[in-house]
Amino acid sequence: MRRYFGRKLLIYGLTFFIAATIDWMIPRFMPGNPVQSLLSRSHVAPDAVPALIAYYNNLFGLDRPIWEQYLSFWGALLSGDLGRSVYLTGRPVTDVIMSAVPYTLALLVPAILLSWWAGNSFGAMAARRRWLDNAALPIGYILTATPYMWLAIVLAWILGFIFRLFPISGGYSYALEPTLTWTFVGSLFSHWFLPFASLFLVMFGGWAIGMRNMIIYELDADYSRYLEALGAPTRLVRKYAFRNAVLPQITGLALQLGVIVSGALVTEIVFSYPGIGKLTLAAIQNEDYFLLQGIFLFIIVGVLIANFLVDIAYVLVDPRTRVGMSGRSA
Amino acid sequence: MNDPERISSAVPVGAAAPDRAPIQPAAPAPAPRPGEPAAASGRAEAVGRRREILYFALRDRKVLVGLGILIVFVAAAVVGPLIRPGDPDAFVGPMAAAPSREWWFGTTTFGQDVFAQFVYGVGSTFLVGLFGGGLAALIGMTVGFVAGYRGGVVDEILNMLTNVVLVIPTLALLLIAAAYLTARGVLVEAVFIGLTSWPWAARAIRAQTFSLNTREFVDLARLTGVPSWRVIFGEIAPNMGSYLFMTFILLFGGAILIAATLDFIGLGPTSGSSLGMMMYNAVAWSALQLGMWWWFIPPGLGITAIVGALYVMNVGLDEIFNPRLRKM
């Protein structure tokens, strides 16, 4: 087990190192010059340009040797300094992101956990009954082929615009101040529901199909046939099949995290939900590169932590990882 | 995660689906009969097997439905621009008109023809899928074959690389890369997507290569002293051809979804139109609040139909290549 986690942590550490390095490299080595584009947007008098370029290069430390820039980047990063947001008039990037993170987590965590649980249960059930299977499979495939933002748009249009059941914009009513009252909590909830529902539905389809396919394979495996041949009740065979089929689904959850996060980003944009997604859009539209780079690092760190949590869950569920049988494969 | 044993066992490739949950190609086609080199199996038999596949393909409802939908969209992408020639973003019609006989899909707030944008967007969707998915398949195959065939240190290094790229969220990487590129085309977007979405394919192919590696016909080929690449492309690859093809289909669909996401955040191609950008514009200009459903329904429906058709076709192909699944 120590080896398993050791190896995982090595990979995650390496990933973070590479991701941070990319984060540092891209503005410096991509075609185009961020300082130039900053100036070209702000209508400076032509003869002041060289002086301003020198000023900004000095300000951002772009005139120092490359290796020194790299080292100071890591120094700042490790002390939590991600620079300042240009578009939000100089607020520290870390603060800006931190104020958006709760909204994104409030969407993502319940959506991921509930859809995983519901999708797997439903998929296992569908594999059992033919009529349910025939009905569930097409729906599952359609849901999983739907782009996140489109389902969000459709839900917002039908439930929000036509039936006026839910608000379709913002994190809470614009008429309210954030306070701890029931009205405010109610407003939070009604604004939260639609983005949550659209994330939930797309993921639900994927898990249901995956579970259904996996169960069918497991029921075909030798151990299932053997159990059947011994005359074990179907319920018991199914139970074992389910336990084996759940393992790849946990692996799948880890692999899907990146996609799920990007799904959450676009869903937030549809609903103007004040999380990381909306912030990303604002950063792109205002060409706020510090903010964008900070968001990038935040997403990476978040996904790495989530991956690690999934690894722990895997160890809890799969006894083989505990006794070290998977030493080679971990 | 990262459990190759799990993958190489007959079970489908974990849940390592490219873009969403586990709709993976199942075990590879049981093409190689034991001890029989595929390359030397004679032309007649190859033709026989191709006939057999074609026979079942033309009778599989899933394949036919999927293929039918795809053909309709390809036709739309090819014929559409001929019906509505000119710049799809040009301001040609009345503002915010609902669909009518003259404007089939209506017009945008600015009087752009939604139908013209749609068919153009479908075209670029296929382009992104083809090139992005193709590049990802190419990288995934190369890494997977080399890692699986060579093993040892090479495998360790490639596996580490695969795992690292696998963990990095594709979109986050694309976000930062695309934001700094001031001129982006559909092809640039496709290249970016291809460069970031190959890891799961590499892992799956590596596992398959491992399991084929120990077969007698591969050993035999190795004994004759032909170079590695010829063993890989002559003996190993043909025996998982169906698997590779299905991997490509899933990468194709995945690339389309990633591109749509990227376009929707406003980092799509800087010139031209795409389905994701149509949705971006529709949301940005409050089509939702104005109830202009004809602006945002077609693009999303198009993507869903194309990707869904690919997935369904994939399931059908799986049944054709794996006779065991056929009756399901």
Side-chain angles (χ1 to χ4, degrees), chain A residues 184-207:
Chain A
F184 182 71
V185 172
S187 167
L188 267 184
F189 178 80
S190 66
H191 283 80
W192 168 86
F193 183 77
L194 276 187
F196 160 79
S198 62
L199 277 176
F200 174 87
L201 280 177
V202 176
M203 285 192 262
F204 174 84
W207 298 129

Side-chain angles (χ1 to χ4, degrees), chain A residues 24-94:
Chain A
W24 173 81
M25 267 169 64
I26 281 180
R28 286 169 179 80
F29 296 108
M30 287 288 267
N33 181 339
V35 173
Q36 286 283 11
S37 66
L38 186 77
L39 288 182
S40 65
R41 281 195 303 135
S42 50
H43 311 293
V44 191
D47 35 321
V49 169
L52 274 174
I53 288 182
Y55 169 74
Y56 277 117
N57 277 342
N58 183 270
L59 185 70
F60 296 134
L62 291 173
D63 52 354
R64 284 180 294 162
I66 282 284
W67 60 269
E68 212 182 298
Q69 291 182 31
Y70 187 59
L71 286 186
S72 65
F73 163 78
W74 272 103
L77 185 62
L78 293 179
S79 60
D81 177 13
L82 294 173
R84 281 167 188 281
S85 161
V86 179
Y87 122 85
L88 287 163
T89 52
R91 267 179 74 194
V93 164
T94 321

Side-chain angles (χ1 to χ4, degrees), chain B:
Chain B
M1 59 183 291
N2 307 347
D3 199 346
E5 255 87 341
R6 181 101 221 145
I7 288 172
S8 60
S9 67
V11 185
V13 187
D19 51 287
R20 287 283 157 77
I23 330 155
Q24 271 287 308
R33 276 132 228 163
E36 192 178 18
S41 61
R43 182 158 290 173
E45 195 177 323
V47 170
R49 176 153 170 77
R50 213 168 293 151
R51 280 238 180 92
E52 183 194 332
I53 287 175
L54 203 65
Y55 175 87
F56 283 106
L58 291 180
R59 275 157 193 78
D60 191 288
R61 232 176 47 211
K62 297 192 181 94
V63 174
L64 288 181
V65 168
L67 207 59
I69 295 176
L70 287 182
I71 289 174
V72 168
F73 275 97
V74 171
V78 173
V79 178
L82 301 177
I83 304 175
R84 296 284 163 85
D87 180 12
D89 291 333
F91 310 107
V92 287
M95 288 177 189
S100 62
R101 187 165 298 176
E102 194 183 353
W103 306 103
W104 295 346
F105 285 12
T107 59
T108 68
T109 310
F110 312 103
Q112 291 152 309
D113 183 3
V114 176
F115 178 77
Q117 289 190 338
F118 178 74
V119 286
Y120 188 91
V122 169
S124 56
T125 295
F126 275 112
L127 272 187
V128 166
L130 198 63
F131 285 102
L135 183 63
L138 208 64
I139 301 176
M141 280 179 207
T142 311
V143 173
F145 280 140
V146 172
Y149 184 76
R150 277 294 167 81
V153 183
V154 178
D155 178 39
E156 281 287 327
I157 294 171
L158 287 179
N159 202 19
M160 192 65 103
L161 177 74
T162 310
N163 282 330
V164 166
V165 183
L166 194 66
V167 182
I168 297 182
T170 310
L171 188 86
L173 202 58
L174 292 176
L175 211 67
I176 198 100
Y180 278 98
L181 265 190
T182 37
R184 301 178 296 265
V186 173
L187 284 185
V188 174
E189 189 177 32
V191 168
F192 272 127
I193 293 172
L195 285 177
T196 46
S197 55
W198 53 269
W200 71 267
R203 253 173 55 171
I205 291 169
R206 166 179 172 267
Q208 297 295 345
T209 310
F210 262 138
S211 71
L212 282 177
N213 228 352
T214 51
R215 296 285 183 86
E216 284 144 357
F217 63 88
V218 177
D219 278 338
L220 197 67
R222 216 170 307 172
L223 278 179
T224 60
V226 297
S228 306
W229 63 269
R230 276 190 58 187
V231 181
I232 292 176
F233 289 106
E235 306 293 333
I236 296 178
N239 278 304
M240 43 196 275
S242 61
Y243 190 84
L244 297 178
F245 183 62
M246 292 195 293
T247 306
F248 169 67
I249 290 185
L250 291 179
L251 285 171
F252 191 110
I256 290 176
L257 286 176
I258 297 173
T261 310
L262 206 55
D263 293 354
F264 188 74
I265 299 185
L267 290 175
T270 38
S271 60
S273 174
S274 78
L275 296 181
M277 276 166 66
M278 286 173 73
M279 287 192 273
Y280 170 77
N281 283 325
V283 169
W285 300 103
S286 312
L288 259 177
Q289 283 79 1
L290 298 170
M292 293 168 63
W293 54 269
W294 57 88
W295 195 357
F296 52 77
I297 292 293
L301 200 59
I303 295 175
T304 309
I306 293 172
V307 177
L310 286 169
Y311 286 171
V312 169
M313 198 169 87
N314 206 46
V315 180
L317 285 176
D318 202 10
E319 288 168 9
I320 292 165
F321 293 134
N322 293 306
R324 276 201 324 189
L325 296 174
R326 267 181 206 158
K327 40 180 196 333
M328 257 316 285

Side-chain angles (χ1 to χ4, degrees), chain A residues 141 144 146 217 249 256 259 289 329, chain B residues 2 15 19-20 22 26 180 315:
Chain A
Y141 276 112
T144 196
T146 312
Y217 273 101
Q249 292 288 80
Q256 289 303 308
V259 177
Y289 292 122
S329 66
Chain B
N2 307 347
D19 51 287
R20 287 283 157 77
Y180 278 98
V315 180

Side-chain angles (χ1 to χ4, degrees), chain A residues 242-317:
Chain A
F242 182 80
R243 290 192 60 171
N244 277 292
V246 147
L247 292 178
Q249 292 288 80
I250 295 179
T251 311
L253 181 58
L255 292 176
Q256 289 303 308
L257 280 171
V259 177
I260 293 172
V261 168
S262 59
L265 296 191
V266 291
T267 305
E268 283 177 11
I269 292 176
V270 171
F271 292 100
S272 305
Y273 201 72
I276 296 286
K278 200 182 157 207
L279 205 58
T280 309
L281 186 69
I284 290 171
Q285 285 174 341
N286 296 290
E287 298 186 28
D288 190 341
Y289 292 122
F290 280 120
L291 186 52
L292 200 58
Q293 282 172 271
I295 291 172
F296 170 78
L297 279 182
F298 249 82
I299 294 177
I300 301 270
V301 171
V303 169
L304 288 181
I305 293 174
N307 258 295
F308 193 64
L309 293 179
V310 173
D311 288 336
I312 294 175
Y314 199 92
V315 168
L316 293 180
V317 177

